[in-house]
Amino acid sequence: RMALVPTGAGASRELALKGFETVSSVLWTHDSKTIFLLGRQEGKGARIYRQDLSEQIPRPLTAEVAGGSGLVLSPDGRSLALMDDGTVRLFSIEGMLLRTVPGDFSGHALIGWTSDGRALYSYRVTDLPGRIYRLDLATGDLKVLREMLPADPAGIWRIHPVRITADGSSYAYTYTRRVGDLYVFDGLR
């Protein structure tokens, strides 16, 4: 289930996602009139869908994709980037595949575009310390932009999710910590 909840006066509106088994990424267009989502309907593979808020149901934009981790909208609002099973694919907002970025980016999740539209930001859940990467769209080169680790790293096993501003100057992350106690008993029979 997914609902639009107003930040001011007004009623919530549930989006018609009947038949969807999963929705893994959701993003707004810059004018807040359209939502793009990466989802999977019953018996079908994952696809990118477009939900214009003036319409009742989302419509599929792309053919099936292997599996995505992060769907992000370009700064000019005309392109979508999707991490599709280690391959970065760029689509028009009409759903046409524009190109793929050279390289293998297995394990990466996309979290945004740079403000100039020339690169993407990504991270890997398995990195400890966590790292935000800058991925050059022309060459496929990856560069570590930031490292993240709480002041007390004890028990940290995952840094996820991660968000970053388009200019790369600010970021936020959540981490998962697991700690326990170990007891030693002497003289038990």
Side-chain angles (χ1 to χ4, degrees):
R1 295 179 54 171
M2 191 167 34
L4 301 175
V5 180
T7 57
S12 296
R13 175 181 152 209
E14 190 167 322
L15 296 178
L17 296 178
K18 185 176 179 174
F20 278 83
E21 290 181 345
T22 62
V23 173
S24 59
S25 291
V26 178
L27 60 98
W28 288 92
T29 55
H30 304 306
D31 64 6
S32 299
K33 294 179 180 178
T34 303
I35 296 172
F36 291 99
L37 57 101
L38 178 64
R40 192 168 61 81
Q41 290 184 318
E42 294 172 13
K44 298 179 181 174
R47 298 169 81 166
I48 298 173
Y49 292 82
R50 179 185 179 127
Q51 171 77 55
D52 291 319
L53 297 183
S54 62
E55 298 174 0
Q56 293 300 311
I57 59 173
R59 59 184 162 89
L61 281 184
T62 64
E64 292 181 4
V65 295
S69 56
L71 177 66
V72 291
L73 182 65
S74 65
D76 64 9
R78 298 188 327 207
S79 302
L80 297 163
L82 173 69
M83 182 67 71
D84 184 20
D85 199 26
T87 301
V88 176
R89 300 188 194 289
L90 303 179
F91 296 91
S92 70
I93 59 168
E94 289 79 31
M96 181 175 59
L97 177 63
L98 301 172
R99 67 185 181 98
T100 59
V101 177
D104 179 6
F105 308 102
S106 296
H108 284 259
L110 299 179
I111 54 174
W113 290 69
T114 59
S115 54
D116 64 8
R118 295 181 183 174
L120 296 167
Y121 295 117
S122 72
Y123 77 104
R124 294 187 319 179
V125 175
T126 56
D127 282 353
L128 277 177
R131 292 178 186 89
I132 296 175
Y133 297 87
R134 184 183 185 280
L135 170 75
D136 187 283
L137 292 173
T139 64
D141 289 337
L142 273 176
K143 176 182 154 193
V144 175
L145 184 67
R146 301 252 187 269
E147 285 201 351
M148 308 164 286
L149 196 62
D152 177 8
I156 301 297
W157 67 275
R158 178 173 83 163
I159 294 178
H160 169 77
V162 176
R163 298 295 179 253
I164 190 167
T165 57
D167 67 2
S169 65
S170 299
Y171 61 95
Y173 63 90
T174 300
Y175 57 86
T176 305
R177 179 188 310 262
R178 289 201 179 152
V179 294
D181 296 315
L182 177 64
Y183 297 93
V184 176
F185 294 94
D186 289 326
L188 291 177
R189 295 187 182 161

